[in-house]
Amino acid sequence: DKIIPIQSLRDLTLNFSICEKISDRGLKFLSSGLKFLLSLENLSLNFGGCYRITDKGLANLSQGISCLSNLKNLRLHLGESQVTDKGVAYLKSGLFNVETLQELWLSFGLCKELPDKALLVLGELFEIMDGIKIIKLDLSSCDKLTDKSLLILGKGLEKLKQIEVLHLNLGWNVSLTNEGLCMFSDSLKHVTTLKNFKLNIDNTNDIYDQGIGCLMEGVKNLKNLENLSLILSSTEITDKSFAYIRRSEEHTSELQS
């Protein structure tokens, strides 16, 4: 059989989850190899539970990603790492020249040092990603995130002109409140290209019916929406939220008819 050189790879998936001995040094070695995969279109890297990884590791990795000029789909799992806004800034720099990207999946769940400022950096990244159609973000259990992060995230999403799929996991962020959800909703209503929207805000103890009402005000303006998934378990909502959801469903049906 003919041997296919690795430079011709189009898809690469590497799962190093819960490899507790992997560090920034390992990402530097990986990055040096990525630079040769010029045909790569789909890259999935799972470092979930690799708690030794820091901003420096993401800086190393981003150098390799910056060479992937044909990349269409990036999935990067960094849950439980020590990444902060500085690491996200390195990632933004790495993706700056990747104009082909259509799907971006980022998982920062349980990144205890990730602050609101990281969302500002993501917003700057969205501004240069004109062709992106799918974004999935896991920001669950990021203890330093506050309502300000939802405001910043919403403003960043407004810059995406072709986005069709948006999945956000904000569960277990105990500092999020109705106010943050309302600010996010004010921006959501402008993201009219959305067809698929999923939001997880489970175990956020300060979100009540008012927040759901605000959210549904934003949702009802999404005239192209086809799929909606809301995960609201272990929140403080009551029966009143069903009325907000029903009114939004009726309004969305009218927009689509």
Side-chain angles (χ1 to χ4, degrees), residues 186-197:
D186 285 341
S187 293
L188 181 65
K189 63 186 179 185
H190 299 296
V191 192
T192 55
T193 55
L194 268 186
K195 295 182 178 180
N196 184 314
F197 178 47

Side-chain angles (χ1 to χ4, degrees), residues 17-33:
S17 59
I18 322 180
C19 291
E20 297 180 352
K21 292 185 178 181
I22 286 182
S23 67
D24 297 337
R25 188 164 177 257
L27 269 64
K28 185 176 183 178
F29 290 138
L30 176 61
S31 178
S32 64

Side-chain angles (χ1 to χ4, degrees), residues 153-203:
L153 179 60
K155 293 299 182 184
L157 291 173
E158 287 186 42
K159 300 170 184 175
L160 298 173
K161 304 304 180 183
Q162 299 186 51
I163 187 169
E164 297 180 357
V165 177
L166 176 62
H167 291 183
L168 297 176
N169 185 353
L170 300 169
W172 292 91
N173 285 312
V174 295
S175 296
L176 300 185
T177 70
N178 285 339
E179 183 178 358
L181 207 52
C182 289
M183 290 188 292
F184 176 77
S185 180
D186 285 341
S187 293
L188 181 65
K189 63 186 179 185
H190 299 296
V191 192
T192 55
T193 55
L194 268 186
K195 295 182 178 180
N196 184 314
F197 178 47
K198 180 178 181 179
L199 178 65
N200 183 348
I201 51 173
D202 69 327
N203 291 281

Side-chain angles (χ1 to χ4, degrees), residues 3 29 52 56 68 73 78 96 139 169 182 203 247:
I3 298 176
F29 290 138
R52 294 177 184 269
K56 184 178 180 180
L68 304 178
N73 182 344
L78 290 162
F96 187 81
L139 299 167
N169 185 353
C182 289
N203 291 281
R247 283 201 293 269

